[in-house]
Amino acid sequence: MRKHLFILLALIPFTVSATEQQGVDVPFVPVTVKTLPPLNTPRSGHQMFVTGDEVIVMGGHTTGFIPTPTAEYFADGQWHQIPMTYNHDNAIATKLRSGKIFIGGGSGEPLGIEQTFPTEFYDPAKHTFEGYGCMDTKRALATAVEIDNGRIVIAGNWYHMDDIEVYDGKGAFLQVKTSALMRTNPYILRTSADNAIIFSALDTCGRRLPDSDIVDRLHGEAYREPFLRQWHPLRICIDGRNNLRCVSDTTTGDYTYLLPVENDSAQVAIARVSNGTFSLLPTTAPIPMKSPAGMDITYISTCLIDNDARRAYVVGTDTVLNVYILAVDYGAPAPHPLTVYFTEHQGEIPLEAYYTLTNDGNIMFTGGNAGDNYHPLSDTYLLILNDRTADTTAGQTAAWWRWLLIGLSALAIVIIIMVCVSHKSTQHAGVTDEYDNTDTSEDNGQKSTVTNEELLQQICDLMEQQQLFLNSDLKLSDLSTILGRSTRSISDCIKTGRGVQFPQFVNAYRIEYAQQLLRKHPDKKTTEVYIASGFANETSFFRTFKAFTGMTPREWMKKNIV
C-alpha cells in the first residue's frame, strides 16, 4: 500500500502552471475586461472607495487641469454626480469605521498648485458632503488613518512642510510633532489601538529619500528600521495608501499589513508588517518581473486587500500597457501561492486609471489620464478576477489550472481512501459495523448517545432562541463549550443535516435577521444593519447578502419592500 501511496502523492505536484512551458514559475491567467458606463465628469487626482454596494469617486481635477468640486457614486449600473463642499485634487481621504469618509486638503488651484486646509465628511447613506473645518497644516498628497475613539492620524505633504497631526474625533485638528523626514504619501500603519508608524520612500518633491529607513511613531521617538535598508516601499504611480486595510483581526490587538517593496535590483516582494515588525512574506516563487512574452512588468500600486478571499492584489503594467494583477493568497499555508492575471488587449486600460477592489472581488478602474493631466479620462472598466458576481460569467476559465490540480488531488485522495478501506477490511474480515445516525464520539470524556437530529436541534435552538449568530466572533469552539461536544461532531452534524459548513450555516441566520431589520426599518443605515446582524465588516455583509439572495441589499429592498 505504501508503494501505491508514494506513487499517487508523487503525481500531484506535476500539475503544471499555465506558463511552465515558457519558463515562468508563476501561472499567468488571461482575464476579461468589462466596459462600464463612463463618469459624468472626466477626472484624475480623485479618491475612490467602496461604500456599501456602491463605488464613490471624489474630487480630482477635470479638463484643463482644473479642480472639480464634485463626486460620483456608481449604483444601479450608472454614475450619479453630486456636489462637494470644497475642491479636493490629490487630497487626503480615509474610510471610517462609521461608514463615512473623511476627505481633506489637496491642491487648491488649477495645474496642481498650492495646498489647502478644508475638510469634509461624506455620508453614503444620504449621498451628501458636509464641510467640517480646517487641518492644522495645509496639505496635498498626504495620508490619513483612523485609530481609536474616532481619532484620525494625518501625515505627508507635496512641495510643502510636513508634520504629524491628529483629528481628535470631536472637532479639532492638533499638531502632534514635526516629522523626522519630510515625506509624500507616507504609509501610516497602526501598531496598537492608539499608536502608528509612519514611513515612505519619497520626499515631498517625489524624489527617493536617502534615509527611507527612518520611521516615525505617533507616540515615541523615530527609529531606523533595518528591513527598510534592503527593501524599500514601492514607488507607485497611482496612490492607494488611504485604502490599505489590515489582513488581521484587529479586535485581538493584531495589526498586520501587507505592502509591496523592492530592493536595489528592482526585484519586487511583499512585506509583512505586524505591530511594527517588518519581514518578507514567504511565497512559492519570486514575484515575476517579466511577462510570458518577455516584457518587463512594472508594479504601480499598493496592496488591495480582499479579507474574505484572503488575497492581496498588486496592479502592474508593461511597455505596451497590458495590465497585470499579481494575486497573493496570503490565507493559504506558507509559502503562499502567486497568480498573475493579465489583459490581452494592450492599452485597454489607461496607465494612470484609478482603481478599487469591489465587494465582488473584482477590480474597477476609472478616470485617470494617459500621461496628460489637461485631458483626464472618464472611462470605467471592470477587471473580472472571479465569477462571484451574479451577472458575470467572465473569469470562469480564469483559473482552470487550479481546478485541474484540485481534481487530481481529490482523485488521488479517493483512491488512497479506497486502498485504506480495502486494507482494513482484509484485516478485520467477518467483523461488521451496523451504521446508524448516532454520534458516538467521546465528548468531555463521556461517550454520547445523542443522535445527529437531536444535536442539530440543540444547535438550532441556540441560534434561534439565544441568537448566538449576532456575535460577530462566534466560533465552533463556542458551541463546543456550550453543548459539551467536540467541534468535529458539531461541524459534521451541521454539514450532514443542512448540507453546509458552519460559516454558511451561521450566515444564513444573519442574512435572515438583516432582512427582518430592513423590512421593519427601511430607513436604517446599512452600517447599523450589518453590525446589528452579527457581521464583522461591511464587505463581508454585502458579499454574503448577494451570495444568499443574488441581489445587493439595495436591489433586494427595491424588490421586496414597497
Side-chain angles (χ1 to χ4, degrees):
M1 173 185 171
R2 288 184 177 179
K3 179 179 179 181
H4 296 311
L5 175 61
F6 289 143
I7 293 174
L8 288 168
L9 293 178
L11 288 174
I12 296 175
F14 286 96
T15 304
V16 299
S17 69
T19 54
E20 183 174 340
Q21 68 275 14
Q22 299 175 10
V24 180
D25 296 322
V26 176
F28 278 67
V29 181
V31 291
T32 299
V33 177
K34 181 179 179 180
T35 302
L36 299 179
L39 294 166
N40 293 289
T41 298
R43 66 183 74 220
S44 188
H46 52 279
Q47 295 290 333
M48 190 174 183
F49 292 90
V50 172
T51 61
D53 55 350
E54 299 173 354
V55 174
I56 178 80
V57 297
M58 302 176 289
H61 60 264
T62 187
T63 305
F65 211 154
I66 300 172
T68 173
T70 65
E72 304 184 40
Y73 64 93
F74 189 78
D76 303 321
Q78 59 183 325
W79 291 100
H80 306 266
Q81 186 155 286
I82 51 179
M84 300 179 70
T85 310
Y86 310 109
N87 291 326
H88 296 288
D89 183 18
N90 290 320
I92 315 144
T94 189
K95 187 176 178 181
L96 309 178
R97 288 188 290 275
S98 66
K100 292 185 177 181
I101 294 175
F102 164 81
I103 183 168
S107 302
E109 299 181 21
L111 310 182
I113 298 173
E114 277 296 332
Q115 306 81 26
T116 60
F117 293 99
T119 65
E120 53 191 300
F121 288 89
Y122 172 66
D123 186 344
K126 300 178 181 178
H127 297 126
T128 57
F129 287 85
E130 179 183 0
Y132 199 74
C134 291
M135 293 181 291
D136 183 78
T137 299
K138 60 180 182 179
R139 302 176 188 271
L141 292 176
T143 309
V145 169
E146 183 182 22
I147 52 173
D148 62 339
N149 301 324
R151 297 192 301 159
I152 301 172
V153 181
I154 305 169
N157 218 331
W158 181 247
Y159 278 86
H160 193 61
M161 68 164 289
D162 178 23
D163 59 17
I164 302 168
E165 67 179 281
V166 172
Y167 168 68
D168 66 1
K170 300 176 182 177
F173 292 84
L174 306 171
Q175 184 193 39
V176 175
K177 59 173 65 176
T178 300
S179 301
L181 293 174
M182 302 293 105
R183 306 177 177 94
T184 187
N185 271 335
Y187 281 103
I188 305 179
L189 307 183
R190 298 178 67 186
T191 57
S192 67
D194 65 346
N195 206 357
I197 57 174
I198 303 163
F199 59 96
S200 176
L202 303 176
D203 68 11
T204 53
C205 298
R207 299 169 299 205
R208 169 72 78 179
L209 275 168
D211 295 319
S212 60
D213 61 328
I214 294 180
V215 179
D216 268 307
R217 285 185 282 201
L218 177 62
H219 301 300
E221 298 297 321
Y223 65 97
R224 288 189 179 272
E225 171 55 55
F227 179 90
L228 294 176
R229 295 173 194 162
Q230 180 180 0
W231 294 96
H232 320 291
L234 201 64
R235 290 177 288 183
I236 59 182
C237 180
I238 301 296
D239 192 74
R241 289 178 177 87
N242 290 313
N243 257 317
L244 189 62
R245 302 167 57 192
C246 283
V247 298
S248 58
D249 181 3
T250 57
T251 61
T252 65
D254 181 7
Y255 296 89
T256 299
Y257 299 83
L258 301 179
L259 57 138
V261 291
E262 61 181 346
N263 60 18
D264 291 335
S265 300
Q267 174 62 49
V268 173
I270 301 296
R272 184 177 186 268
V273 188
S274 295
N275 295 0
T277 300
F278 289 74
S279 61
L280 280 184
L281 187 76
T283 55
T284 52
I287 290 176
M289 303 305 297
K290 288 186 178 293
S291 72
M295 289 181 288
D296 291 334
I297 300 175
T298 302
Y299 294 99
I300 59 174
S301 84
T302 190
C303 288
L304 298 173
I305 303 299
D306 185 341
N307 273 327
D308 284 343
R310 307 296 290 165
R311 266 190 156 195
Y313 299 101
V314 182
V315 180
T317 187
D318 61 23
T319 55
V320 294
L321 301 186
N322 288 315
V323 172
Y324 299 84
I325 306 293
L326 171 72
V328 184
D329 289 301
Y330 64 84
H336 306 287
L338 302 176
T339 306
V340 177
Y341 300 94
F342 69 99
T343 61
E344 296 182 286
H345 306 291
Q346 61 190 45
E348 188 165 11
I349 298 175
L351 172 62
E352 295 190 6
Y354 288 67
Y355 48 80
T356 192
L357 187 69
T358 68
N359 284 330
D360 294 312
N362 299 312
I363 296 181
M364 179 186 284
F365 295 82
T366 189
N369 63 70
D372 179 6
N373 272 309
Y374 295 90
H375 299 91
L377 306 171
S378 59
D379 302 329
T380 304
Y381 306 92
L382 191 68
L383 193 64
I384 309 297
L385 300 182
N386 59 71
D387 58 357
R388 280 182 280 181
T389 51
D391 60 347
T392 301
T393 58
Q396 292 178 347
T397 60
W400 64 268
W401 62 274
R402 290 181 182 275
W403 292 110
L404 179 59
L405 175 59
I406 292 171
L408 287 178
S409 301
L411 178 60
I413 291 170
V414 169
I415 295 174
I416 292 169
I417 292 173
M418 292 175 64
V419 171
C420 291
V421 170
S422 175
H423 184 65
K424 183 177 179 180
S425 298
T426 303
Q427 287 183 323
H428 300 280
V431 179
T432 61
D433 293 318
E434 182 179 354
Y435 171 79
D436 60 30
N437 64 347
T438 301
D439 180 2
T440 59
S441 60
E442 292 193 11
D443 293 304
N444 294 340
Q446 296 181 348
K447 183 168 286 190
S448 172
T449 57
V450 177
T451 65
N452 280 341
E453 288 82 358
E454 292 170 338
L455 178 57
L456 182 60
Q457 186 59 53
Q458 293 175 5
I459 296 169
C460 292
D461 287 344
L462 288 174
M463 292 295 168
E464 295 164 9
Q465 297 174 16
Q466 298 188 29
Q467 295 186 318
L468 294 187
F469 60 88
L470 297 183
N471 176 10
S472 61
D473 294 323
L474 182 66
K475 303 179 181 65
L476 263 174
S477 57
D478 298 326
L479 293 185
S480 174
T481 300
I482 295 171
L483 296 172
R485 308 300 301 274
S486 69
T487 56
R488 176 63 181 272
S489 64
I490 295 173
S491 176
D492 289 348
C493 176
I494 292 173
K495 187 173 182 180
T496 301
R498 293 295 175 88
V500 295
Q501 300 291 345
F502 176 72
Q504 289 76 26
F505 175 75
V506 175
N507 280 339
Y509 282 100
R510 290 172 175 161
I511 292 300
E512 182 179 0
Y513 188 84
Q515 289 172 328
Q516 292 174 3
L517 284 179
L518 291 171
R519 285 192 180 97
K520 293 178 181 178
H521 308 284
D523 296 330
K524 207 173 193 59
K525 293 183 179 180
T526 304
T527 303
E528 298 177 76
V529 172
Y530 84 73
I531 292 175
S533 303
F535 285 94
N537 58 70
E538 188 179 49
T539 301
S540 177
F541 169 63
F542 278 90
R543 188 168 295 169
T544 305
F545 196 100
K546 191 165 187 178
F548 274 82
T549 67
M551 295 175 281
T552 66
R554 178 189 297 273
E555 293 167 343
W556 183 87
M557 290 180 69
K558 285 183 178 180
K559 184 175 181 181
N560 293 276
I561 300 176
V562 180

